[in-house]
Amino acid sequence: MRLAVAAQLLLAWLGRGQGNRRCWGGQFNYEFCCPEDMPEGNPDCWDKRRYTHRLCCLSPDEELPPLRPVNPAASRQWRVACSKDLGGWMIHELTFFEDDACEKSLWRYARTLDSGHRKRFHPTYAFDHWVMGADLHFWYSLPVEEGNEAWLGLQLARPSEVRCVGLWHNNIPHVPVTLQRWEDANQTWLDVHHWSVALGGEWAMLSRGAHNDSGSDLLASDL
């Protein structure tokens, strides 16, 4: 115990007058940012989040916050799921968007994800940016039986939050759709939003920001 305390005191003494070394670079150093005649430090050094007087001048051992704020609702893996008893779910095109207006598509992805498909109807066909009613290149799930789900999605290049789904499927007149994301902490899929009606035979733009009777975000208490 005494050795541990002595080691901590030695480290504190060695770092005295240097502040948090993670903060410094170029002209921004301890002398410039933490002068004794400025109780809150040099304001030219601080950005109010990552670089602050407390973190840089008074906390030599504390890690700095990440460059970008962490979005707890972001994930690298997203999918749409349908639990309706179907002979098969036929999706001609699927697009994920990061905004409620369905304008900023998330098109960089590492691989496709699916619940299983019939021969020659691969999941990549749903992400080929081509859709027509007579298009023969679409994703066709295995039969959906009661108690199971058909699902299709992506593993994205970076963690993102999906705010809108663009879906062109061929199940007439409509199916219920649930947006799900993968949670690494619990190693499970979480329901994020549910739309009771996603029309078939046309583009269904399913926005989480469109508050109506056919869709709702799912809170932790709903799961």
Side-chain angles (χ1 to χ4, degrees), residues 178-221:
T178 300
L179 175 66
Q180 301 173 331
R181 67 175 169 87
W182 178 256
E183 186 179 65
D184 283 328
N186 295 317
Q187 293 291 291
T188 188
W189 288 98
L190 295 179
D191 290 351
V192 174
H193 196 104
H194 179 75
W195 294 274
S196 58
V197 174
L199 295 176
E202 62 183 71
W203 273 108
M205 305 306 292
L206 309 173
S207 173
R208 294 172 58 190
H211 298 292
N212 52 54
D213 293 337
S214 64
S216 61
D217 266 357
L218 302 175
L219 305 176
S221 57

Side-chain angles (χ1 to χ4, degrees), residues 2-220:
R2 291 182 178 179
L3 288 175
V5 172
Q8 291 178 354
L9 291 174
L10 177 61
L11 289 173
W13 183 83
L14 290 173
R16 185 178 57 182
Q18 299 299 319
N20 193 331
R21 295 177 183 272
R22 302 169 184 83
C23 295
W24 313 136
Q27 72 173 32
F28 296 100
N29 53 41
Y30 182 82
E31 290 72 23
F32 180 75
C33 294
C34 309
E36 293 184 358
D37 60 341
M38 302 179 74
E40 297 300 321
N42 186 339
D44 291 338
C45 297
W46 318 134
D47 64 2
K48 298 182 180 181
R49 189 188 71 84
R50 182 173 169 83
Y51 299 105
T52 67
H53 176 258
R54 184 190 69 80
L55 280 174
C56 294
C57 299
L58 307 178
S59 308
D61 299 321
E62 189 169 341
E63 294 288 341
L64 299 183
L67 284 171
R68 294 181 178 179
V70 177
N71 180 356
S75 175
R76 284 192 66 198
Q77 297 186 53
W78 291 84
R79 71 186 191 185
V80 289
C82 177
S83 57
K84 185 177 181 180
D85 189 359
L86 299 172
W89 198 11
M90 296 173 284
I91 296 181
H92 288 252
E93 197 69 24
L94 173 62
T95 306
F96 294 126
F97 299 88
E98 60 181 338
D99 63 318
D100 290 339
C102 313
E103 296 175 347
K104 300 176 182 179
S105 62
L106 295 164
W107 59 273
R108 295 181 183 273
Y109 66 90
R111 63 189 179 98
T112 58
L113 310 168
D114 80 325
S115 56
H117 56 273
R118 304 178 193 224
K119 189 176 182 180
R120 296 192 299 275
F121 295 96
H122 305 287
T124 51
Y125 290 149
F127 303 99
D128 60 5
H129 306 287
W130 173 259
V131 58
M132 289 182 63
D135 179 17
L136 297 179
H137 294 95
F138 55 88
W139 176 73
Y140 194 2
S141 78
L142 297 175
V144 184
E145 300 176 354
E146 187 174 354
N148 295 320
E149 292 180 324
W151 50 266
L152 177 66
L154 291 175
Q155 178 176 306
L156 300 171
R158 60 179 176 83
S160 304
E161 181 181 7
V162 172
R163 296 295 308 174
C164 174
V165 174
L167 177 66
W168 209 112
H169 71 97
N170 212 20
N171 295 80
I172 307 296
H174 56 75
V175 298
V177 173
T178 300
L179 175 66
Q180 301 173 331
R181 67 175 169 87
W182 178 256
E183 186 179 65
D184 283 328
N186 295 317
Q187 293 291 291
T188 188
W189 288 98
L190 295 179
D191 290 351
V192 174
H193 196 104
H194 179 75
W195 294 274
S196 58
V197 174
L199 295 176
E202 62 183 71
W203 273 108
M205 305 306 292
L206 309 173
S207 173
R208 294 172 58 190
H211 298 292
N212 52 54
D213 293 337
S214 64
S216 61
D217 266 357
L218 302 175
L219 305 176

